[in-house]
Amino acid sequence: MILTPKALRGQLIVSCQAYPGEPLRDPRSTAQMAASAVIGGAAAVRVQGLADVQFTRAAVEVPVIGLWKDGHDGAFITPTLRHALAAANAGAHVVAIDGTRRERPDGLTLALALAQTVAGIHHDSHALVMADCGSFDDAAAAVEAAAVVVGTAITHPATITGWFAEALK
């Protein structure tokens, strides 16, 4: 599958994730939710966890955005290059990384983390990189680092989505 960012522009991307302890927290269930989302019109699906990426990749014929949540504080959405490469190696077409200025487990600044992670993914895989950003400045840093998809982080999604809508005008 050859994937370009333009292929997803304006399309529905559905996040199919369950947290530990929830009844659907199983890679097979995630893949089934993703397949149902595709039947309902999703152009891509977003899943969390390496096994979830693998199972979902086998279950759908649309791009899989993969991420690895690690921890609960600071940057925890695919927070390091090691996490990003693992998601890519699990089969993610697009690897979602934390593109916010939250504290990172490796101590890197946002600019350095983005630069190293995006360069590493481009060098060691065929995956694209999506940065989950918390502000317009975060998004600008992600684009400068060559992330090809920029999205909003979960914090204040309505406000951030408004910023992005204004920037796209």
Side-chain angles (χ1 to χ4, degrees):
M1 169 185 307
I2 297 175
L3 177 63
T4 65
K6 288 183 180 182
L8 296 178
R9 187 179 186 123
Q11 299 298 309
L12 176 65
I13 300 171
V14 176
S15 181
C16 302
Q17 301 178 43
Y19 289 95
E22 294 180 345
L24 293 175
R25 180 66 224 128
D26 180 276
R28 293 169 299 209
S29 297
T30 300
Q32 291 169 333
M33 285 189 291
S36 295
V38 171
I39 291 168
V45 292
R46 180 176 163 120
V47 301
Q48 188 286 130
L50 303 180
D52 297 72
V53 170
Q54 292 170 330
F55 275 79
T56 301
R57 176 78 190 256
V60 300
E61 293 185 17
V62 299
V64 174
I65 301 170
L67 59 117
W68 176 5
K69 291 181 182 174
D70 191 13
H72 301 284
D73 299 316
F76 63 91
I77 297 174
T78 323
T80 67
L81 175 58
R82 177 179 66 85
H83 292 87
L85 288 173
N89 290 333
H93 296 98
V94 179
V95 176
I97 64 172
D98 193 300
T100 69
R101 296 175 192 277
R102 291 182 275 203
E103 186 176 330
R104 299 176 179 289
D106 54 14
L108 297 178
T109 64
L110 173 62
L112 189 54
L114 285 170
Q116 286 184 1
T117 303
V118 173
I121 289 296
H122 289 165
H123 183 267
D124 293 335
S125 79
H126 296 291
L128 300 178
V129 177
M130 173 182 189
D132 292 349
C133 301
S135 70
F136 183 79
D137 290 340
D138 293 351
V143 170
E144 185 174 321
V148 297
V149 180
V150 176
T152 59
I154 195 135
T155 56
H156 313 294
T159 302
I160 296 168
T161 301
W163 294 339
F164 282 103
E166 276 299 309
L168 292 172
K169 288 183 181 177

